[in-house]
Amino acid sequence: MATTVRRAVLNLPAAPLGPENPLPVLRAPADAHTLDELPKPPLGGTPRREGLPRDMARQIGYEPLRSLLPVRLRDGYRRRRREGEFEAIVLENAHLRVTVLPGLGGRVHSLVHVPTGRELLYRNPVFQPANFALNGAWFSGGIEWNIGATGHTTLSCSPLHAALVPAPDGGVMVRLWEWERLRDLPFQVDLWLPQDSEFLFVGVRIRNPHERTAPVYWWSNIAVPEDPGTRVLAPADEAWHFGYERTLRRIPVPRWEDEDRTYPLRSEYPADFFYEVPDGTRPWIASLDAEGRGLVQTSTARLRGRKLFVWGSGEGGRRWQEWLTEPGTGGYAEIQAGLARTQLEHVRLEAGAEFSWLEAYGPLAADPGPVHGPDWASARSAAEAALAAALPRERVEEAYEAWRGAADTEPGERLAAGSGWGALEVLCGGYELPGTPFEEAELGEAQAPWLELWRTGAFPAPRRVAPPGPSLVAPHWRDMLETAPADPLTEYHLGVAQWHAGDVAQAVRSWERGLALAPSRWPLLRCLAVADTLAGDPARAAQRYAEAFEDLAEESRGGETWTAAESALGREAMTTLLAAGRVPAARAVWDRLRPALREEGRFRLLAARLLAAEGHLGAARRVFEDGFELADLREGDEILSEVWSRITHRPLPATYNFRMRPPT
């Protein structure tokens, strides 16, 4: 059977994504995947990350993400699902059927072994965004391509460009590409299913077109079924354990603390296990069930890291599993492959250089006796022998060389369109990127004012009253804003760019200059309030938040964008006012909220906090007892248990228990 590629429509119960948050992300990302420093040595000195390999320690400290700018938060999603349609691309031969969702980060939604009808991945039966991506909206299941910085990519729920490209074997492959905006880097993912192949090949390339080095992060994240008899195997005798206590420690594989941790359900709390794969060893990872059957992933040597993530058997982990899908549909674990040993690291990419590699995904069947036996070396050997028989290492290397010859081939028939941000950067920077065209025709409404700034030297005034559009913060855009006419909107965007660059004092001056003449004051007041908060002046921050929300409430109109602005600013204002003890002012914000917003889970939680601050503990408890869902609860966030503990000594109800670490 020749390989075919076709368009399709995937129907799933789906929660709406909703609008982007229009407020620029000025605070550092609240990421659970941060390594805490060790305590200072007893005799003084600076904290040390002892025991870490030198290259790991260096890469952990190399350019961690300081800001999400210019990316916006995606937090407008809900939890009421209805039937939705998603554009899909299906690659199929006699052995595999691959379903790709170009509109959702290029996610491989399904990988079916055609002869048996067996799904090799964990395939989520619903589309339910949750707050796991760096910028919010993320969903579980399938294979995702994580680029940018530690965590799930900001492109998790965004469209990628997609097109057909001639494959090295004379067939056809699907190319996905986009401009990753956190690090300003273009990348491509080529999905190639050769005729008669039992393995899907995936060629990946990340390019640095700039005259400066760039930090690079990549992890391919594969969700696999989490059955009690399933074991994860990798070529390692040690692993680096990272839990939500934010510590990294080297542990033996497979047994640690009297449990075999290669079985995902034998850990109580969520955790990462980064396998220490020896140099020169063939990199691979497999998830095999009680019969020794399942999925294997392997790659060329560039993709050196391998990881197992488990939700664990504890109450919090099981609650998260239910939260991300339909209760009763079974859980999942993640097996992953990355550029570094751990996800805490970023790798240096030189100016004008690129990283590229080839991955392979397919079914694996190994002798279940040794695979599930007590001897780890025998278990690994059984899986390695099965992989060598199914896909020799030499074949992967040959496929990589063949794919490299096609990586620059210009795409043919377009299957999907991504954003216009890459087109703007290529046009303004004059970059040449064979194989991944970012064309001027892709420029849209969001890019229009920035294109005018580049062409005329002036940032255009908005044609209608609306919340400010996205800010750009790269050095060349900051330079253009600094020389543009200093109207309030230009000062607003300039301040955001200066803030991103770490020039806090200059950012504050820009916002204050803009505020003096601004007809719309709330965007600038909010920026100044964030600056006050981080400067340690909660009283002034609270006052500015109160003024900002009052100004927004006066100016606000109907429509999704204005509602999103009220929701975002209302949450920030109430949180800051309550923290500053300005309870009547927090109540005033609540009273001016649209009634529909007050019914959302995020504001039900704020209502409980407000009632508790007013001394109405019984009423605050009733908010919890009546029930609400915090749609954008952040991975690792313990706000529900914290608020509950302030209003009662009763045990936290299971429906609100999302704890990802042992109680401290």
Side-chain angles (χ1 to χ4, degrees):
M1 175 182 174
T3 300
T4 62
V5 179
R6 57 184 171 86
R7 300 172 187 260
V9 174
L10 178 68
N11 293 289
L12 288 176
L17 264 175
E20 289 184 332
N21 186 321
L23 306 184
V25 189
L26 300 179
R27 300 173 190 267
D31 186 18
H33 302 95
T34 303
L35 181 62
D36 283 349
E37 292 283 359
L38 297 175
K40 288 188 176 181
L43 299 179
T46 58
R48 299 189 303 273
R49 291 177 172 136
E50 296 184 7
L52 301 186
R54 185 173 298 177
D55 63 331
M56 181 193 291
R58 182 176 62 251
Q59 290 178 166
I60 287 175
Y62 174 54
E63 294 289 341
L65 193 67
R66 295 184 298 107
S67 166
L68 287 179
L69 293 166
V71 176
R72 286 180 153 189
L73 290 179
R74 297 296 301 264
D75 60 2
Y77 50 86
R78 302 291 183 266
R79 291 190 57 81
R80 292 183 179 178
R81 296 189 287 267
R82 58 186 179 188
E83 199 67 19
E85 293 186 348
F86 299 90
E87 291 186 1
I89 303 169
V90 179
L91 300 83
E92 185 170 6
N93 67 7
H95 304 282
L96 291 176
R97 182 167 60 252
V98 187
T99 303
V100 183
L101 304 178
L104 295 174
R107 184 78 59 99
V108 175
H109 174 71
S110 172
L111 183 63
V112 174
H113 184 233
V114 173
T116 62
R118 180 189 179 107
E119 175 62 69
L120 299 177
L121 305 173
Y122 167 76
R123 180 172 58 192
N124 199 331
V126 303
F127 173 70
Q128 177 56 64
N131 195 355
F132 278 70
L134 286 165
N135 63 330
W138 173 87
F139 64 105
S140 64
I143 306 171
E144 61 176 311
W145 318 112
N146 287 306
I147 181 174
T150 300
H152 293 283
T153 176
T154 61
L155 295 167
S156 292
C157 293
S158 297
L160 303 189
H161 301 284
L164 299 180
V165 181
D169 64 347
V172 66
M173 62 184 177
V174 173
R175 175 163 300 161
L176 307 167
W177 73 98
E178 229 331 336
W179 192 279
E180 199 288 310
R181 301 178 67 210
L182 292 180
R183 305 300 197 181
D184 257 345
L185 300 176
F187 72 99
Q188 72 188 75
V189 178
D190 288 353
L191 304 168
W192 173 29
L193 186 57
Q195 184 175 344
D196 295 329
S197 173
E198 292 190 350
F199 283 81
L200 170 69
F201 292 145
V202 180
V204 182
R205 177 166 63 169
I206 303 170
R207 289 186 274 195
N208 180 6
H210 307 293
E211 296 179 354
R212 52 176 169 76
T213 58
V216 171
Y217 173 93
W218 183 279
W219 282 80
S220 301
N221 184 359
I222 309 131
V224 291
E226 176 204 58
D227 300 318
T230 294
R231 189 178 205 185
V232 171
L233 301 102
D237 295 314
E238 293 181 307
W240 296 93
H241 173 272
F242 182 79
Y244 286 79
E245 307 90 338
R246 297 188 176 185
T247 58
L248 191 64
R249 47 187 159 180
R250 198 168 190 154
I251 65 169
V253 175
R255 296 192 66 83
W256 176 57
E257 293 185 342
D258 297 324
E259 284 291 352
D260 187 330
R261 305 294 174 166
T262 59
Y263 290 88
L265 286 172
R266 296 187 187 178
S267 294
E268 183 177 1
Y269 289 96
D272 299 326
F273 297 89
F274 298 104
Y275 293 111
E276 184 67 53
V277 179
D279 290 341
T281 301
R282 181 181 189 181
W284 60 272
I285 190 166
S287 174
L288 303 180
D289 65 14
E291 297 177 351
R293 297 180 180 275
L295 173 77
V296 67
Q297 188 271 1
T298 186
S299 69
T300 49
R302 170 70 70 181
L303 207 64
R304 62 171 299 183
R306 292 299 185 275
K307 168 194 161 180
L308 165 65
F309 168 75
V310 300
W311 283 107
S313 59
E315 187 175 89
R318 306 329 296 169
R319 183 70 182 99
W320 273 116
Q321 293 267 32
E322 293 178 352
W323 187 254
L324 296 171
T325 184
E326 289 281 9
T329 57
Y332 72 95
E334 293 171 358
I335 57 176
Q336 302 191 23
L339 281 174
R341 280 186 179 90
T342 73
Q343 290 175 325
L344 309 178
E345 304 168 64
H346 299 91
V347 182
R348 183 185 183 95
L349 181 58
E350 299 297 331
E354 65 180 51
F355 288 145
S356 65
W357 63 89
L358 188 89
E359 305 180 43
Y361 297 81
L364 191 69
D367 186 343
V371 161
H372 293 283
D375 183 67
W376 176 241
S378 298
R380 281 177 38 194
S381 295
E384 284 175 334
L387 174 58
L391 185 66
R393 187 174 189 176
E394 296 76 18
R395 187 179 166 202
V396 175
E397 298 295 337
E398 292 167 359
Y400 171 66
E401 293 301 328
W403 168 74
R404 284 292 298 155
D408 283 350
T409 303
E410 289 303 308
E413 179 187 349
R414 297 299 180 94
L415 303 175
S419 77
W421 295 115
L424 181 67
E425 296 298 338
V426 167
L427 179 65
C428 298
Y431 304 122
E432 296 291 335
L433 299 169
T436 55
F438 294 95
E439 298 169 348
E440 193 170 346
E442 296 161 358
L443 294 168
E445 183 179 354
Q447 293 82 40
W450 298 95
L451 185 62
E452 185 168 337
L453 172 65
W454 178 66
R455 285 176 169 164
T456 69
F459 198 88
R463 289 175 294 181
R464 62 184 183 279
V465 177
S471 297
L472 296 185
V473 296
H476 54 283
W477 293 112
R478 187 172 72 250
D479 291 344
M480 284 184 253
L481 289 166
E482 286 176 345
T483 58
D487 61 76
L489 184 57
T490 301
E491 296 284 14
Y492 164 82
H493 287 299
L494 175 58
V496 174
Q498 291 165 333
W499 180 274
H500 175 74
D503 195 346
V504 174
Q506 196 62 258
V508 169
R509 283 193 285 271
S510 295
W511 291 329
E512 288 176 340
R513 284 196 304 268
L515 186 63
L517 298 173
S520 179
R521 293 168 49 84
W522 65 267
L524 293 150
L525 284 168
R526 182 263 178 178
C527 289
L528 290 167
V530 174
D532 290 335
T533 300
L534 298 182
D537 193 342
R540 188 162 68 169
Q543 180 59 34
R544 279 178 162 157
Y545 264 121
E547 293 175 13
F549 190 81
E550 182 178 358
D551 187 68
L552 171 60
E554 293 292 334
E555 184 178 77
S556 186
R557 290 152 168 76
E560 190 176 64
T561 303
W562 284 106
T563 301
E566 284 189 41
S567 175
L569 186 57
R571 278 176 280 152
E572 288 188 13
M574 286 191 68
T575 300
T576 303
L577 289 163
L578 288 171
R582 297 276 304 275
V583 178
R587 170 61 68 179
V589 172
W590 173 267
D591 289 341
R592 297 203 71 166
L593 285 170
R594 301 183 189 211
L597 288 178
R598 295 181 203 164
E599 299 305 314
E600 294 179 1
R602 61 195 77 181
F603 284 105
R604 299 308 301 157
L605 177 63
L606 279 168
R609 296 174 65 181
L610 176 60
L611 288 166
E614 292 172 332
H616 307 305
L617 297 184
R621 283 195 302 271
R622 282 193 292 276
V623 173
F624 277 81
E625 291 162 358
D626 291 343
F628 64 89
E629 291 186 318
L630 193 60
D632 60 340
L633 180 66
R634 183 69 180 167
E635 173 190 12
D637 195 342
E638 298 177 1
I639 186 64
L640 289 170
S641 58
E642 291 170 1
V643 174
W644 179 259
S645 67
R646 292 178 201 153
I647 60 179
T648 181
H649 295 295
R650 301 174 191 169
L652 180 69
T655 189
Y656 300 118
N657 185 358
F658 292 89
R659 288 194 65 92
M660 301 182 78
R661 61 176 180 165
T664 55

